[in-house]
Amino acid sequence: VMSSSSSSSLEIEIFQYIDAHQSDFIKDLKEWVAVESDSVQPHLRKEVMRMMALAADRLAALGATVNLVNLGSHQLPDGQVLPLPSVVLGELGKDPQNPTVCFYGHVDVQPAKKGDGWNTDPYTLTEIDGNLYGRGATDNKGPVLAWINAVETFRALKLAMPVNFKFVIEGMEEAGSLGLEKLLEEEKQSFFSDVDYIVISDNLWLSNKKPALTYGSRGNACFFVEVECGRKDLHSGTFGGIIHEPLLDLIALLDSLVDSTGHIQIPGIYDSVAALTEEERRSYESIEFDLEEHRNNCGVNKFLYGTKEEILLHLWRYPSLSIHGIEGAFHEPGIKTVIPAKVIGKFSIRQVPHMDLSVVEKQVVEHLEGVFSKRNSPNKLKVSMPLGAKPWLADVNDLLYKAARRATKTVFGEDPDFIRDGSTIPVARMFQTVTQKSVMMFPIGAADDGEHSQNEKISRHNYIEGTKLFAAFFLEISKLH
Amino acid sequence: VMSSSSSSSLEIEIFQYIDAHQSDFIKDLKEWVAVESDSVQPHLRKEVMRMMALAADRLAALGATVNLVNLGSHQLPDGQVLPLPSVVLGELGKDPQNPTVCFYGHVDVQPAKKGDGWNTDPYTLTEIDGNLYGRGATDNKGPVLAWINAVETFRALKLAMPVNFKFVIEGMEEAGSLGLEKLLEEEKQSFFSDVDYIVISDNLWLSNKKPALTYGSRGNACFFVEVECGRKDLHSGTFGGIIHEPLLDLIALLDSLVDSTGHIQIPGIYDSVAALTEEERRSYESIEFDLEEHRNNCGVNKFLYGTKEEILLHLWRYPSLSIHGIEGAFHEPGIKTVIPAKVIGKFSIRQVPHMDLSVVEKQVVEHLEGVFSKRNSPNKLKVSMPLGAKPWLADVNDLLYKAARRATKTVFGEDPDFIRDGSTIPVARMFQTVTQKSVMMFPIGAADDGEHSQNEKISRHNYIEGTKLFAAFFLEISKLH
């Protein structure tokens, strides 16, 4: 499996150690998966706490200085107050000659139970046909351990550490990373002051087989469009035909947003989208992406575009607008002949570099107010943007990406796909904004790992080769520094 | 109060009796209101049964032959099986020289409790400033008793009965008149064989002060428009911008139905709407209708039309289209960045004479399929009409209306408004279709009675003068026959 032709003897020694200790690494993953560290369900919060302590112990065993930072508590919608799990900050090595790489991961998981449709117990790591099934196997306990395994390998072989390590491990990622951004801000001048690079390994390859590096994600600007005619819902027999129905206004407003080809109709919205460079366009050609598989995954008959390049461009680096639904109108099965008095349309724009959130907001508001004013409706219109998450984009020419590309070539024998994510990755953007350091998403899981799904897994291959990948990356980033 | 200048001595005798027995009539209403005959809440079904027995006793005391017809039972959505209250069929008089008038009313009520915002106990009839407050006072126990009081007056005064009476009194009107249509069909050749006219007194005047006769109502054609792209909802980050979103298709379809002036955009939909005659147009001029009051009642800033005539024409005799909501899309507060896979839009057309339901259905389906095909969407479209209730229209030149107009002039000193209802009145249409007899809605409640609302009332004036109105009507219909 390993393409060792171009590997150095140091790499060969490291890789042999990793291969020889596969069972130990899998045993560690089995122990971590056994902890039901579900951060979503309140009654399991103590298991998340226990998991944080295990992660802290594991880092301490590497020789790292470990700080469990208390983030206080949070209140649930039902009024219950729960403690937040501490964030683990770890440091290993302080050689000023070495670059300092900070790794972020999380050890909390999504809910899972056998009855959801799992073939095996979700909290008992089970190997079947080379796959390691268990909740958290790929999201994100496996990758966190792969990083730790890689550091551990250097330590076990008594090799000089090629980099200084920092670790940020949290236990609330699946519940919105509560308190994390505040902690990053607070640690900006201290913990992060000497960090050169940030690596996040909390996503997947685009393909089942081909490695990838993730260098960008779209943002998410969410909009509410509220139209109101009065205080109470009305009977469609008694008022149908004589009033300006708010839902008719709203539907006309929503219908003005996108045409049937998927093109957003808001004037100016594409003006500041970063121009597509020739280099960037070429980078799409080699990406492994099975259109048919992707189509089957979502179950639609046909995409808006016919080629891999067009699909990926529209998923990653062009904005899209989706309408999610309407609050206040009749939504149950059956018939209710009501004229809703106040309706709120919900839509979002996945915006891309270099779209400015405040400009997007202004364009949306002006467009909707323009459409509304043409209707001469006496109703009240209110447009708001309750959430605006920015896109994230790294420079693929950063040393971080060079090192990761070389390590991938060494371990997997091929160049990684350079990919983005159509979804928003708040943690990447958060690290980039707060620390102003170069950020890379460095996945080791495959596209079919089923994160958040039943039968989540990481393959033994990806887990072990991923450990090698991180070790090789340490050597490469050290060499490039 | 009574304009007796044109009254006959017989009428004067009758009206004096009614005035003298006000307290008795109000005592009867108090007894009926005290029965919590709520047909909506299952645990009160036995009270409905008790109410039916009281109504049957009251008719029997008039000397009527009474038949309590068992309608079997029905199943609630939760699986519970409940007995249906019997329908009371009563007959009084069989003189072949007399016309036979059948009266329909119901003695079940909508739910009510003090905590809903009533100023008085809803089941204790309470007189304040000339108004009799209590659940069922106007809907529909008061009018049923007014009819019985009128018959009782002839009996008490030992007068010759001017008409033969039939009574249909049910206890499930507020829960959809379950089983009634089947019963009418079964009794078509027997109970209804010698009925000449049908009078329903289960609605309100258009005004607080001016009497009215109701001669028509709009129908209700309900439509479901379903658009589906696949089996599961999708993530707007992962699929936004590359698929034809079903909700975008649906919103375009819904937006094609009505323009901003309220005009239905479905080709041909107005083709068969009955032409407005000059006589009909003139009849709108004298109708008492306070636009400002109506606007305040619904709370909108402005109607689509500026004059009383335009408003009433569009409420009563032109079709309207209302959109009620969408099933399958996100409808809760907050944000969910989902692309719903299957959405169902719900709208209804209040259709009018002479629109044919099957033609309307065909026009709607063809229009939506045409709009959809222009979008080149690969999604699945399904349009259906799960409910089609026909409009009802009587001929205001029928003897029934002539007699009611004369009786109104006698009792109230002015001609009644001839009105329609924008809502659907299934029971009027049902009686007309099944019996093929002339049907009239003959209200005695005022526009501000608050049927189905808190503090429902009938005024002492309307209850007592309504009793006189029915008595005068018996004489008039007899004279015209």
Side-chain angles (χ1 to χ4, degrees):
Chain A
V1 176
M2 191 184 88
S3 148
S4 56
S5 58
S6 65
S7 304
S8 67
S9 61
L10 178 56
E11 282 167 343
I12 291 171
E13 185 186 359
I14 289 169
F15 296 166
Q16 282 175 343
Y17 178 91
I18 293 170
D19 278 331
H21 291 80
Q22 286 195 29
S23 308
D24 296 335
F25 297 149
I26 290 171
K27 193 166 142 277
D28 288 346
L29 182 55
K30 193 179 182 88
E31 273 169 26
W32 278 26
V33 163
V35 184
E36 196 171 349
S37 53
D38 169 349
S39 58
V40 176
Q41 299 184 83
H43 74 280
L44 290 165
R45 185 60 54 88
K46 61 182 188 302
E47 289 302 285
V48 182
M49 308 290 199
R50 190 158 73 87
M51 188 64 231
M52 298 317 297
L54 282 181
D57 288 350
R58 194 73 183 75
L59 292 185
L62 289 180
T65 309
V66 178
N67 184 11
L68 271 159
V69 186
N70 185 351
L71 296 186
S73 59
H74 68 127
Q75 191 167 26
L76 302 181
D78 67 1
Q80 194 185 351
V81 173
L82 272 185
L84 285 166
S86 297
V87 168
V88 173
L89 297 182
E91 301 186 48
L92 180 63
K94 278 217 169 266
D95 187 337
Q97 302 301 310
N98 284 349
T100 300
V101 181
C102 174
F103 175 82
Y104 162 89
H106 67 90
V107 289
D108 60 314
V109 296
Q110 282 277 321
K113 53 178 195 288
K114 188 99 193 324
D116 294 341
W118 284 71
N119 297 325
T120 57
D121 172 31
Y123 296 101
T124 304
L125 192 75
T126 308
E127 184 164 3
I128 302 170
D129 294 338
N131 285 317
L132 304 163
Y133 292 93
R135 176 54 91 218
T138 195
D139 182 19
N140 181 218
K141 291 172 176 176
V144 173
L145 276 174
W147 186 272
I148 291 173
N149 297 339
V151 178
E152 167 68 25
T153 299
F154 280 88
R155 214 185 63 110
L157 294 173
K158 300 194 194 317
L159 300 172
M161 290 294 181
V163 296
N164 302 320
F165 299 102
K166 296 220 173 184
F167 294 89
V168 178
I169 299 178
E170 72 155 321
M172 282 298 283
E173 198 272 344
E174 302 295 0
S177 293
L178 298 176
L180 184 65
E181 189 159 18
K182 189 162 161 282
L183 173 67
L184 300 189
E185 289 284 1
E186 285 165 4
E187 294 290 340
K188 192 171 169 173
Q189 309 299 336
S190 45
F191 183 82
F192 291 107
S193 63
D194 56 355
V195 167
D196 297 298
Y197 306 107
I198 289 161
V199 174
I200 299 170
S201 181
D202 185 24
N203 64 324
L204 302 175
W205 299 344
L206 188 61
S207 130
N208 294 348
K209 293 280 162 71
K210 195 172 172 205
L213 299 175
T214 306
Y215 65 97
S217 72
R218 296 193 290 188
N220 196 13
C222 293
F223 290 90
F224 288 178
V225 195
E226 181 182 308
V227 185
E228 183 180 7
C229 74
R231 299 167 319 284
K232 56 185 179 184
D233 290 353
L234 300 170
H235 189 297
S236 69
T238 321
F239 293 98
I242 64 165
I243 69 165
H244 300 259
E245 299 188 12
L247 187 50
L248 286 174
D249 285 338
L250 178 62
I251 280 168
L253 292 167
L254 295 177
D255 192 32
S256 76
L257 295 169
V258 188
D259 71 13
S260 63
T261 71
H263 199 261
I264 304 174
Q265 300 293 91
I266 299 161
I269 201 87
Y270 291 98
D271 288 356
S272 53
V273 174
L276 182 67
T277 64
E278 195 40 49
E279 183 194 357
E280 192 186 346
R281 179 189 294 280
R282 257 185 286 111
S283 77
Y284 279 70
E285 289 167 11
S286 61
I287 291 172
E288 226 168 71
F289 183 66
D290 187 332
L291 263 192
E292 198 55 23
E293 185 185 283
H294 200 60
R295 203 184 56 71
N296 284 331
N297 283 345
C298 68
V300 305
N301 291 321
K302 218 177 117 203
F303 284 131
L304 280 163
Y305 308 95
T307 68
K308 175 185 75 181
E309 287 79 3
E310 283 173 304
I311 292 287
L312 293 178
L313 283 165
H314 282 90
L315 269 182
W316 296 348
R317 57 113 57 234
Y318 290 125
S320 67
L321 190 152
S322 294
I323 300 178
H324 309 301
I326 293 169
E327 182 184 340
F330 180 60
H331 58 78
E332 287 167 54
I335 293 162
K336 185 182 180 186
T337 51
V338 66
I339 300 174
K342 181 167 121 178
V343 286
I344 307 172
K346 317 272 179 96
F347 69 91
S348 65
I349 298 175
R350 296 278 171 179
Q351 86 282 11
V352 295
H354 305 293
M355 294 168 77
D356 184 297
L357 263 182
S358 63
V359 173
V360 169
E361 184 178 15
K362 194 163 167 285
Q363 289 167 334
V364 167
V365 171
E366 277 177 10
H367 169 69
L368 290 176
E369 287 179 346
V371 172
F372 189 67
S373 79
K374 287 205 194 82
R375 292 181 63 81
N376 287 316
S377 170
N379 297 323
K380 273 186 289 184
L381 171 71
K382 202 165 89 187
V383 183
S384 61
M385 187 178 82
L387 184 97
K390 292 177 180 175
W392 161 67
L393 186 65
D395 182 347
V396 294
N397 297 312
D398 280 350
L399 288 185
L400 199 60
Y401 287 88
K402 282 213 170 83
R405 180 202 288 258
R406 287 186 190 178
T408 304
K409 182 85 181 176
T410 300
V411 174
F412 290 96
E414 62 180 332
D415 281 331
D417 283 337
F418 279 77
I419 65 175
R420 296 200 198 183
D421 201 304
S423 309
T424 311
I425 304 178
V427 78
R429 172 80 202 189
M430 197 191 293
F431 271 97
Q432 191 188 56
T433 305
V434 174
T435 70
Q436 301 286 317
K437 305 294 175 182
S438 185
V439 175
M440 177 173 70
M441 300 276 295
F442 197 1
I444 63 169
D448 63 353
D449 276 2
E451 51 176 357
H452 294 207
S453 246
Q454 294 89 338
N455 301 315
E456 176 182 344
K457 59 93 179 166
I458 192 166
S459 71
R460 172 188 281 260
H461 176 76
N462 281 43
Y463 180 51
I464 300 303
E465 300 308 302
T467 295
K468 293 179 191 168
L469 181 66
F470 290 148
F473 169 72
F474 301 155
L475 296 174
E476 295 292 351
I477 194 77
S478 169
K479 272 190 275 177
L480 286 170
H481 196 71
Chain B
V1 176
M2 191 185 89
S3 148
S4 56
S5 59
S6 64
S7 303
S8 65
S9 60
L10 177 57
E11 282 166 343
I12 291 173
E13 183 186 1
I14 289 169
F15 296 168
Q16 281 176 343
Y17 178 90
I18 293 170
D19 278 331
H21 290 81
Q22 287 194 27
S23 307
D24 296 334
F25 296 149
I26 290 171
K27 194 168 141 275
D28 288 347
L29 183 54
K30 194 180 182 87
E31 272 169 27
W32 279 26
V33 163
V35 183
E36 197 171 349
S37 53
D38 169 349
S39 58
V40 177
Q41 298 183 82
H43 74 281
L44 289 165
R45 185 61 51 88
K46 63 182 185 307
E47 289 302 285
V48 182
M49 307 292 198
R50 189 157 75 85
M51 188 63 230
M52 299 316 299
L54 282 182
D57 288 349
R58 194 74 184 74
L59 292 184
L62 288 181
T65 309
V66 179
N67 184 12
L68 272 160
V69 186
N70 186 352
L71 296 185
S73 59
H74 69 128
Q75 193 169 26
L76 302 180
D78 68 1
Q80 195 186 347
V81 173
L82 272 185
L84 285 166
S86 297
V87 168
V88 174
L89 298 183
E91 301 185 49
L92 179 65
K94 278 217 171 265
D95 185 337
Q97 301 303 311
N98 284 350
T100 300
V101 182
C102 174
F103 176 82
Y104 162 89
H106 67 90
V107 289
D108 60 315
V109 296
Q110 283 276 320
K113 53 177 193 291
K114 188 97 194 325
D116 294 342
W118 284 72
N119 297 326
T120 57
D121 171 31
Y123 295 102
T124 305
L125 191 76
T126 308
E127 184 164 3
I128 301 171
D129 293 338
N131 285 316
L132 304 163
Y133 292 93
R135 176 55 90 220
T138 196
D139 183 17
N140 185 213
K141 291 172 176 176
V144 172
L145 276 174
W147 186 274
I148 290 173
N149 297 339
V151 178
E152 167 69 25
T153 299
F154 280 88
R155 214 185 62 110
L157 294 172
K158 300 194 191 321
L159 300 171
M161 289 294 180
V163 297
N164 301 319
F165 298 102
K166 297 220 172 183
F167 294 88
V168 177
I169 299 179
E170 71 155 324
M172 283 298 283
E173 197 273 347
E174 301 297 358
S177 294
L178 299 176
L180 184 65
E181 190 161 15
K182 190 163 160 282
L183 174 66
L184 300 190
E185 288 284 3
E186 286 165 4
E187 294 291 339
K188 194 170 166 173
Q189 309 301 336
S190 44
F191 184 82
F192 291 106
S193 62
D194 56 355
V195 166
D196 298 298
Y197 306 108
I198 289 161
V199 174
I200 300 171
S201 182
D202 185 24
N203 65 325
L204 302 175
W205 298 344
L206 189 60
S207 135
N208 293 348
K209 293 279 163 71
K210 195 174 172 203
L213 299 175
T214 306
Y215 64 96
S217 73
R218 294 194 291 187
N220 197 11
C222 294
F223 290 91
F224 287 178
V225 195
E226 180 183 307
V227 186
E228 182 178 9
C229 75
R231 298 168 318 284
K232 56 184 178 186
D233 290 352
L234 300 169
H235 190 297
S236 68
T238 320
F239 293 98
I242 64 167
I243 69 165
H244 299 257
E245 300 188 10
L247 187 49
L248 286 174
D249 285 338
L250 178 61
I251 280 169
L253 291 168
L254 295 178
D255 193 32
S256 75
L257 295 170
V258 188
D259 70 13
S260 62
T261 70
H263 199 260
I264 305 174
Q265 301 292 91
I266 299 161
I269 200 87
Y270 291 98
D271 288 356
S272 53
V273 174
L276 182 66
T277 63
E278 194 42 45
E279 182 194 356
E280 192 185 348
R281 181 190 292 281
R282 260 185 283 111
S283 77
Y284 280 70
E285 289 166 12
S286 61
I287 291 173
E288 225 169 73
F289 182 65
D290 187 332
L291 263 190
E292 198 54 22
E293 184 185 283
H294 201 60
R295 203 185 57 71
N296 283 333
N297 283 346
C298 69
V300 305
N301 291 320
K302 218 178 116 201
F303 284 132
L304 280 163
Y305 308 95
T307 67
K308 175 185 76 179
E309 287 79 3
E310 284 174 304
I311 293 288
L312 293 179
L313 284 166
H314 282 90
L315 269 181
W316 295 347
R317 57 114 56 236
Y318 290 126
S320 67
L321 191 153
S322 295
I323 300 179
H324 309 299
I326 294 170
E327 181 184 339
F330 179 59
H331 58 80
E332 287 167 54
I335 293 161
K336 186 181 181 186
T337 52
V338 65
I339 300 174
K342 181 167 120 178
V343 285
I344 307 171
K346 317 272 178 97
F347 70 90
S348 66
I349 298 176
R350 296 276 170 179
Q351 85 282 9
V352 294
H354 306 294
M355 294 168 77
D356 183 295
L357 263 181
S358 65
V359 172
V360 169
E361 183 178 18
K362 192 162 169 286
Q363 288 167 334
V364 167
V365 171
E366 277 177 9
H367 169 70
L368 290 175
E369 286 179 348
V371 172
F372 189 68
S373 79
K374 287 204 192 82
R375 292 181 63 81
N376 287 314
S377 169
N379 298 324
K380 272 186 288 183
L381 172 71
K382 202 165 87 188
V383 182
S384 60
M385 187 178 81
L387 184 96
K390 292 178 181 174
W392 162 66
L393 187 63
D395 184 347
V396 295
N397 297 313
D398 280 350
L399 287 186
L400 200 58
Y401 287 87
K402 282 213 171 83
R405 181 201 288 256
R406 288 186 188 180
T408 305
K409 183 84 179 176
T410 300
V411 174
F412 290 95
E414 62 180 332
D415 280 330
D417 282 338
F418 278 77
I419 65 175
R420 296 201 200 181
D421 201 305
S423 308
T424 310
I425 303 177
V427 77
R429 173 78 202 188
M430 198 191 292
F431 271 96
Q432 191 187 56
T433 305
V434 174
T435 69
Q436 301 287 316
K437 306 294 173 181
S438 185
V439 175
M440 177 173 70
M441 300 277 294
F442 197 3
I444 62 168
D448 63 353
D449 276 2
E451 51 175 356
H452 294 210
S453 247
Q454 295 89 338
N455 302 315
E456 176 182 345
K457 59 95 179 165
I458 191 166
S459 70
R460 172 189 279 258
H461 177 75
N462 280 42
Y463 180 50
I464 299 304
E465 300 307 302
T467 294
K468 293 178 192 169
L469 181 66
F470 289 149
F473 169 71
F474 301 156
L475 295 175
E476 295 291 352
I477 193 78
S478 169
K479 273 190 272 177
L480 286 170
H481 197 71

